[in-house]
mmCIF file of all heavy atoms in Angstrom:
data_model
loop_
_atom_site.group_PDB
_atom_site.id
_atom_site.type_symbol
_atom_site.label_atom_id
_atom_site.label_comp_id
_atom_site.label_asym_id
_atom_site.label_seq_id
_atom_site.Cartn_x
_atom_site.Cartn_y
_atom_site.Cartn_z
ATOM 1 N N THR Y 60 11.572 -91.353 16.840
ATOM 2 C CA THR Y 60 11.653 -91.055 15.402
ATOM 3 C C THR Y 60 11.347 -92.291 14.573
ATOM 4 O O THR Y 60 10.613 -92.247 13.584
ATOM 5 C CB THR Y 60 13.058 -90.532 15.050
ATOM 6 O OG1 THR Y 60 13.332 -89.419 15.890
ATOM 7 C CG2 THR Y 60 13.130 -90.113 13.599
ATOM 8 N N VAL Y 61 11.885 -93.435 15.021
ATOM 9 C CA VAL Y 61 11.690 -94.685 14.274
ATOM 10 C C VAL Y 61 10.233 -95.096 14.276
ATOM 11 O O VAL Y 61 9.645 -95.421 13.250
ATOM 12 C CB VAL Y 61 12.562 -95.812 14.869
ATOM 13 C CG1 VAL Y 61 12.263 -97.141 14.186
ATOM 14 C CG2 VAL Y 61 14.034 -95.453 14.718
ATOM 15 N N ILE Y 62 9.597 -95.038 15.467
ATOM 16 C CA ILE Y 62 8.211 -95.495 15.579
ATOM 17 C C ILE Y 62 7.273 -94.597 14.812
ATOM 18 O O ILE Y 62 6.339 -95.048 14.155
ATOM 19 C CB ILE Y 62 7.799 -95.593 17.054
ATOM 20 C CG1 ILE Y 62 8.575 -96.725 17.715
ATOM 21 C CG2 ILE Y 62 6.310 -95.818 17.204
ATOM 22 C CD1 ILE Y 62 8.363 -96.831 19.200
ATOM 23 N N VAL Y 63 7.502 -93.315 14.863
ATOM 24 C CA VAL Y 63 6.640 -92.392 14.114
ATOM 25 C C VAL Y 63 6.759 -92.655 12.627
ATOM 26 O O VAL Y 63 5.778 -92.621 11.890
ATOM 27 C CB VAL Y 63 6.993 -90.932 14.442
ATOM 28 C CG1 VAL Y 63 6.261 -89.981 13.512
ATOM 29 C CG2 VAL Y 63 6.629 -90.632 15.882
ATOM 30 N N ALA Y 64 7.970 -92.957 12.191
ATOM 31 C CA ALA Y 64 8.168 -93.259 10.765
ATOM 32 C C ALA Y 64 7.443 -94.542 10.399
ATOM 33 O O ALA Y 64 6.802 -94.655 9.354
ATOM 34 C CB ALA Y 64 9.667 -93.388 10.455
ATOM 35 N N GLU Y 65 7.516 -95.582 11.283
ATOM 36 C CA GLU Y 65 6.836 -96.841 11.023
ATOM 37 C C GLU Y 65 5.324 -96.654 10.997
ATOM 38 O O GLU Y 65 4.618 -97.228 10.165
ATOM 39 C CB GLU Y 65 7.209 -97.871 12.099
ATOM 40 C CG GLU Y 65 8.644 -98.353 11.991
ATOM 41 C CD GLU Y 65 8.985 -99.279 13.137
ATOM 42 O OE1 GLU Y 65 8.117 -99.497 14.019
ATOM 43 O OE2 GLU Y 65 10.111 -99.790 13.159
ATOM 44 N N ALA Y 66 4.847 -95.802 11.874
ATOM 45 C CA ALA Y 66 3.407 -95.540 11.909
ATOM 46 C C ALA Y 66 2.952 -94.850 10.650
ATOM 47 O O ALA Y 66 1.878 -95.107 10.126
ATOM 48 C CB ALA Y 66 3.068 -94.685 13.130
ATOM 49 N N ALA Y 67 3.785 -93.980 10.109
ATOM 50 C CA ALA Y 67 3.425 -93.259 8.878
ATOM 51 C C ALA Y 67 3.356 -94.218 7.690
ATOM 52 O O ALA Y 67 2.533 -94.062 6.797
ATOM 53 C CB ALA Y 67 4.447 -92.162 8.603
ATOM 54 N N GLU Y 68 4.252 -95.260 7.695
ATOM 55 C CA GLU Y 68 4.251 -96.223 6.581
ATOM 56 C C GLU Y 68 3.060 -97.189 6.693
ATOM 57 O O GLU Y 68 2.488 -97.631 5.705
ATOM 58 C CB GLU Y 68 5.553 -97.033 6.590
ATOM 59 C CG GLU Y 68 6.754 -96.178 6.230
ATOM 60 C CD GLU Y 68 8.047 -96.975 6.380
ATOM 61 O OE1 GLU Y 68 7.964 -98.181 6.729
ATOM 62 O OE2 GLU Y 68 9.118 -96.407 6.145
ATOM 63 N N ALA Y 69 2.675 -97.545 7.948
ATOM 64 C CA ALA Y 69 1.642 -98.562 8.147
ATOM 65 C C ALA Y 69 0.236 -98.019 8.025
ATOM 66 O O ALA Y 69 -0.711 -98.788 7.924
ATOM 67 C CB ALA Y 69 1.816 -99.200 9.521
ATOM 68 N N ALA Y 70 0.028 -96.729 8.043
ATOM 69 C CA ALA Y 70 -1.323 -96.162 7.994
ATOM 70 C C ALA Y 70 -1.334 -94.954 7.098
ATOM 71 O O ALA Y 70 -0.318 -94.310 6.880
ATOM 72 C CB ALA Y 70 -1.757 -95.775 9.407
ATOM 73 N N PRO Y 71 -2.561 -94.616 6.582
ATOM 74 C CA PRO Y 71 -2.655 -93.427 5.737
ATOM 75 C C PRO Y 71 -2.292 -92.175 6.501
ATOM 76 O O PRO Y 71 -2.495 -92.093 7.715
ATOM 77 C CB PRO Y 71 -4.143 -93.418 5.337
ATOM 78 C CG PRO Y 71 -4.634 -94.816 5.573
ATOM 79 C CD PRO Y 71 -3.812 -95.358 6.686
ATOM 80 N N ALA Y 72 -1.794 -91.185 5.766
ATOM 81 C CA ALA Y 72 -1.350 -89.932 6.400
ATOM 82 C C ALA Y 72 -2.427 -89.235 7.193
ATOM 83 O O ALA Y 72 -2.173 -88.742 8.276
ATOM 84 C CB ALA Y 72 -0.767 -88.999 5.323
ATOM 85 N N PRO Y 73 -3.714 -89.180 6.700
ATOM 86 C CA PRO Y 73 -4.743 -88.473 7.465
ATOM 87 C C PRO Y 73 -4.982 -89.090 8.831
ATOM 88 O O PRO Y 73 -5.428 -88.434 9.732
ATOM 89 C CB PRO Y 73 -5.988 -88.583 6.595
ATOM 90 C CG PRO Y 73 -5.467 -88.785 5.207
ATOM 91 C CD PRO Y 73 -4.226 -89.580 5.377
ATOM 92 N N GLU Y 74 -4.714 -90.429 8.990
ATOM 93 C CA GLU Y 74 -4.964 -91.060 10.289
ATOM 94 C C GLU Y 74 -3.781 -90.917 11.230
ATOM 95 O O GLU Y 74 -3.922 -91.017 12.426
ATOM 96 C CB GLU Y 74 -5.262 -92.548 10.090
ATOM 97 C CG GLU Y 74 -6.558 -92.781 9.307
ATOM 98 C CD GLU Y 74 -6.836 -94.245 9.124
ATOM 99 O OE1 GLU Y 74 -6.148 -95.064 9.762
ATOM 100 O OE2 GLU Y 74 -7.734 -94.589 8.353
ATOM 101 N N ALA Y 75 -2.570 -90.714 10.658
ATOM 102 C CA ALA Y 75 -1.382 -90.607 11.514
ATOM 103 C C ALA Y 75 -1.413 -89.351 12.352
ATOM 104 O O ALA Y 75 -1.038 -89.350 13.509
ATOM 105 C CB ALA Y 75 -0.116 -90.638 10.670
ATOM 106 N N ALA Y 76 -1.885 -88.275 11.760
ATOM 107 C CA ALA Y 76 -1.916 -86.991 12.492
ATOM 108 C C ALA Y 76 -2.836 -87.048 13.701
ATOM 109 O O ALA Y 76 -2.477 -86.614 14.763
ATOM 110 C CB ALA Y 76 -2.308 -85.869 11.532
ATOM 111 N N PRO Y 77 -4.056 -87.649 13.535
ATOM 112 C CA PRO Y 77 -4.924 -87.717 14.705
ATOM 113 C C PRO Y 77 -4.333 -88.509 15.854
ATOM 114 O O PRO Y 77 -4.668 -88.269 16.991
ATOM 115 C CB PRO Y 77 -6.186 -88.410 14.174
ATOM 116 C CG PRO Y 77 -6.204 -88.088 12.720
ATOM 117 C CD PRO Y 77 -4.776 -88.044 12.314
ATOM 118 N N VAL Y 78 -3.446 -89.507 15.590
ATOM 119 C CA VAL Y 78 -2.833 -90.256 16.689
ATOM 120 C C VAL Y 78 -2.049 -89.316 17.579
ATOM 121 O O VAL Y 78 -2.166 -89.319 18.789
ATOM 122 C CB VAL Y 78 -1.920 -91.369 16.144
ATOM 123 C CG1 VAL Y 78 -1.125 -91.996 17.268
ATOM 124 C CG2 VAL Y 78 -2.764 -92.410 15.426
ATOM 125 N N GLU Y 79 -1.214 -88.501 16.964
ATOM 126 C CA GLU Y 79 -0.429 -87.538 17.746
ATOM 127 C C GLU Y 79 -1.332 -86.497 18.384
ATOM 128 O O GLU Y 79 -1.121 -86.070 19.504
ATOM 129 C CB GLU Y 79 0.607 -86.861 16.835
ATOM 130 C CG GLU Y 79 1.711 -87.778 16.316
ATOM 131 C CD GLU Y 79 2.575 -88.273 17.430
ATOM 132 O OE1 GLU Y 79 2.831 -87.487 18.355
ATOM 133 O OE2 GLU Y 79 2.989 -89.441 17.392
ATOM 134 N N ALA Y 80 -2.344 -86.054 17.626
ATOM 135 C CA ALA Y 80 -3.221 -85.005 18.153
ATOM 136 C C ALA Y 80 -4.054 -85.522 19.308
ATOM 137 O O ALA Y 80 -4.388 -84.788 20.209
ATOM 138 C CB ALA Y 80 -4.127 -84.485 17.023
ATOM 139 N N ALA Y 81 -4.417 -86.821 19.237
ATOM 140 C CA ALA Y 81 -5.268 -87.364 20.295
ATOM 141 C C ALA Y 81 -4.517 -87.475 21.610
ATOM 142 O O ALA Y 81 -5.093 -87.374 22.664
ATOM 143 C CB ALA Y 81 -5.788 -88.731 19.868
ATOM 144 N N ALA Y 82 -3.205 -87.738 21.530
ATOM 145 C CA ALA Y 82 -2.433 -87.907 22.764
ATOM 146 C C ALA Y 82 -2.379 -86.624 23.568
ATOM 147 O O ALA Y 82 -2.521 -86.621 24.770
ATOM 148 C CB ALA Y 82 -1.028 -88.381 22.431
ATOM 149 N N ALA Y 83 -2.159 -85.507 22.873
ATOM 150 C CA ALA Y 83 -2.009 -84.230 23.584
ATOM 151 C C ALA Y 83 -3.279 -83.800 24.301
ATOM 152 O O ALA Y 83 -3.241 -83.437 25.467
ATOM 153 C CB ALA Y 83 -1.543 -83.149 22.602
ATOM 154 N N PRO Y 84 -4.462 -83.838 23.603
ATOM 155 C CA PRO Y 84 -5.674 -83.442 24.323
ATOM 156 C C PRO Y 84 -5.946 -84.299 25.550
ATOM 157 O O PRO Y 84 -6.471 -83.826 26.523
ATOM 158 C CB PRO Y 84 -6.784 -83.610 23.282
ATOM 159 C CG PRO Y 84 -6.081 -83.478 21.969
ATOM 160 C CD PRO Y 84 -4.725 -84.038 22.193
ATOM 161 N N LYS Y 85 -5.606 -85.596 25.490
ATOM 162 C CA LYS Y 85 -5.837 -86.438 26.661
ATOM 163 C C LYS Y 85 -5.055 -85.924 27.861
ATOM 164 O O LYS Y 85 -5.526 -85.901 28.973
ATOM 165 C CB LYS Y 85 -5.425 -87.879 26.363
ATOM 166 C CG LYS Y 85 -6.450 -88.609 25.492
ATOM 167 C CD LYS Y 85 -6.035 -90.039 25.276
ATOM 168 C CE LYS Y 85 -7.045 -90.766 24.393
ATOM 169 N NZ LYS Y 85 -6.647 -92.148 24.122
ATOM 170 N N GLU Y 86 -3.814 -85.507 27.632
ATOM 171 C CA GLU Y 86 -3.014 -84.963 28.731
ATOM 172 C C GLU Y 86 -3.640 -83.688 29.279
ATOM 173 O O GLU Y 86 -3.706 -83.459 30.468
ATOM 174 C CB GLU Y 86 -1.585 -84.689 28.260
ATOM 175 C CG GLU Y 86 -0.815 -85.970 27.942
ATOM 176 C CD GLU Y 86 0.573 -85.689 27.452
ATOM 177 O OE1 GLU Y 86 0.946 -84.502 27.397
ATOM 178 O OE2 GLU Y 86 1.283 -86.648 27.129
ATOM 179 N N LYS Y 87 -4.151 -82.846 28.399
ATOM 180 C CA LYS Y 87 -4.771 -81.595 28.838
ATOM 181 C C LYS Y 87 -6.036 -81.871 29.642
ATOM 182 O O LYS Y 87 -6.321 -81.236 30.626
ATOM 183 C CB LYS Y 87 -5.095 -80.710 27.634
ATOM 184 C CG LYS Y 87 -3.856 -80.139 26.976
ATOM 185 C CD LYS Y 87 -4.222 -79.224 25.827
ATOM 186 C CE LYS Y 87 -2.966 -78.640 25.191
ATOM 187 N NZ LYS Y 87 -3.302 -77.787 24.044
ATOM 188 N N LYS Y 88 -6.833 -82.855 29.183
ATOM 189 C CA LYS Y 88 -8.060 -83.166 29.888
ATOM 190 C C LYS Y 88 -7.772 -83.702 31.281
ATOM 191 O O LYS Y 88 -8.517 -83.519 32.202
ATOM 192 C CB LYS Y 88 -8.868 -84.191 29.098
ATOM 193 C CG LYS Y 88 -9.542 -83.591 27.853
ATOM 194 C CD LYS Y 88 -10.314 -84.648 27.093
ATOM 195 C CE LYS Y 88 -10.956 -84.051 25.836
ATOM 196 N NZ LYS Y 88 -11.672 -85.062 25.046
ATOM 197 N N GLU Y 89 -6.655 -84.416 31.429
ATOM 198 C CA GLU Y 89 -6.290 -84.932 32.747
ATOM 199 C C GLU Y 89 -5.872 -83.797 33.685
ATOM 200 O O GLU Y 89 -6.095 -83.843 34.868
ATOM 201 C CB GLU Y 89 -5.146 -85.935 32.628
ATOM 202 C CG GLU Y 89 -5.598 -87.246 31.971
ATOM 203 C CD GLU Y 89 -4.441 -88.188 31.741
ATOM 204 O OE1 GLU Y 89 -3.321 -87.809 32.079
ATOM 205 O OE2 GLU Y 89 -4.654 -89.274 31.220
ATOM 206 N N ARG Y 90 -5.224 -82.758 33.130
ATOM 207 C CA ARG Y 90 -4.785 -81.654 33.986
ATOM 208 C C ARG Y 90 -5.903 -80.694 34.319
ATOM 209 O O ARG Y 90 -5.914 -80.079 35.357
ATOM 210 C CB ARG Y 90 -3.638 -80.900 33.306
ATOM 211 C CG ARG Y 90 -2.323 -81.661 33.323
ATOM 212 C CD ARG Y 90 -1.179 -80.735 32.978
ATOM 213 N NE ARG Y 90 -1.297 -80.223 31.616
ATOM 214 C CZ ARG Y 90 -0.737 -80.783 30.559
ATOM 215 N NH1 ARG Y 90 -0.048 -81.915 30.704
ATOM 216 N NH2 ARG Y 90 -0.871 -80.267 29.360
#
Side-chain angles (χ1 to χ4, degrees):
T60 305
V61 174
I62 292 174
V63 171
E65 289 176 358
E68 291 174 2
E74 295 180 10
V78 171
E79 293 295 323
K85 284 183 181 178
E86 292 179 2
K87 290 182 179 178
K88 286 179 181 178
E89 289 175 359
R90 286 195 296 267

